[in-house]
Amino acid sequence: MNANEIHTLATELDQATQEAREIDRLTLRLPELTVDDAYRVQEEGLRLRLARGEKIIGYKMGLTSRAKMKQMNVEAPIYGVLTQSMRLENGAQLSFKGRIHPKGEPEIGFIVAREIAGAMSAREALDHCSGVFVGIEVIDSRYRNFQFQLPDVIADNCSASAFVMSEKNVPPAELGWESLGNLGMLLEIDGVGVGFGSSSAILGHPAESLAMLSRMLHERSQKIPAGSIVLAGSSTEAILLSQGTRIQASAQALGSCRIKL
Ligand code: OOG
Ligand code: MG
């Protein structure tokens, strides 16, 4: 695909996001859209947001658990970019206006202290982090009925919309490798448990997701800079959110975080 075509697709998705309007998935009319071109569309969409003054604050991995792959019918991990406008304070209200069909999911996240680059083991990548936290990610696919194929969701910045982090974050050495690899995770809506999982569902250990992100970025000549926030991907199915609800995620030693809609 030439740069013009990439730009047209990125603009289409960018406008749909800004207007909270769902569109047909790209692969309906472009069945040959490749994963590589899809990441180019994602990068062009990011360029449009940066031009409006947004700042990159990290990355999100997606479809890193069986539960999510099965729910979305897409069988490969993907990544997207987080910008500062997506970040909510713990306990904040997320405006329902501006979203199409938001879903919530519990996440394990990392605060990267030293640049992570290229092929690193999961343990080595984790050694580059200063903290681990529990978060809630709000995803909001720009595609009709939240349905897409692999290239569509990549082009759409992996459905990224908003996220919140727990106030506390725990140094990886304090938490311990084994414990991080088997944290009980809970998502509650209005005080009722709706999602139950284990951090082991995320590629066997959430730090594997961090290492995979580093490898995927390396293929596109990129790195995870120091200071980045990285979401490892949900261990459970995402839950459709409605206006006026309270959402909380918790993960044992990591504590909890919450938002309102
Ligand atoms: C794609 C984003 C997946 C996760 O944690 O697996 C994701 C989607 O399901 O729309 O964020
Ligand atoms: Mg997610």
Side-chain angles (χ1 to χ4, degrees), residues 68-249:
K68 283 287 306 185
M69 290 188 199
K70 210 162 145 260
Q71 180 183 28
M72 304 322 295
N73 214 9
V74 175
E75 294 283 319
I78 53 179
Y79 70 85
V81 177
L82 302 172
T83 59
Q84 97 289 344
S85 69
M86 299 175 188
R87 183 168 173 184
L88 299 166
E89 288 304 314
N90 191 23
Q93 176 118 29
L94 173 70
S95 104
F96 197 78
K97 207 170 145 265
R99 325 274 144 195
I100 304 164
H101 35 209
K103 292 184 186 179
E105 53 188 24
E107 297 266 350
I108 298 292
F110 300 97
I111 298 171
V112 176
R114 285 182 291 134
E115 179 184 272
I116 299 175
M120 261 189 201
S121 70
R123 282 178 193 265
E124 205 184 334
L126 185 62
D127 272 346
H128 287 61
C129 297
S130 58
V132 183
F133 62 88
V134 58
I136 301 169
E137 189 186 19
V138 176
I139 52 174
D140 191 27
S141 173
R142 270 51 72 169
Y143 301 117
R144 211 172 298 294
N145 304 323
F146 228 112
Q147 276 174 5
F148 45 70
Q149 293 178 356
L150 179 62
D152 300 301
V153 64
I154 291 168
D156 186 28
N157 196 25
C158 299
S159 312
S161 186
F163 72 98
V164 63
M165 298 159 59
S166 53
E167 265 146 44
K168 136 164 132 176
N169 63 73
V170 180
E174 193 179 302
L175 186 60
W177 175 265
E178 298 298 327
S179 165
L180 173 58
N182 196 12
L183 289 168
M185 298 177 69
L186 171 64
L187 186 74
E188 287 167 88
I189 300 213
D190 291 330
V192 179
V194 292
F196 306 87
S198 159
S199 61
S200 67
I202 306 159
L203 296 173
H205 191 293
E208 293 290 351
S209 179
L210 191 60
M212 183 179 278
L213 173 65
S214 180
R215 290 195 298 274
M216 291 172 89
L217 285 174
H218 183 71
E219 294 205 352
R220 309 195 60 77
S221 310
Q222 294 171 35
K223 300 166 183 174
I224 312 176
S228 298
I229 294 164
V230 176
L231 299 178
S234 179
S235 54
T236 67
E237 283 190 12
I239 307 288
L240 195 64
L241 302 172
S242 42
Q243 193 158 15
T245 49
R246 289 177 292 118
I247 306 111
Q248 174 165 306

Side-chain angles (χ1 to χ4, degrees), residues 7 10-11 13-19 44-55 83-86:
H7 178 77
T11 305
L13 278 160
D14 188 59
Q15 285 173 354
T17 310
Q18 291 198 73
E19 295 163 16
E44 179 66 7
L46 177 64
R47 216 184 49 74
L48 297 174
R49 293 204 302 276
L50 297 181
R52 285 197 294 272
E54 291 200 37
K55 300 268 181 298
T83 59
Q84 97 289 344
S85 69
M86 299 175 188

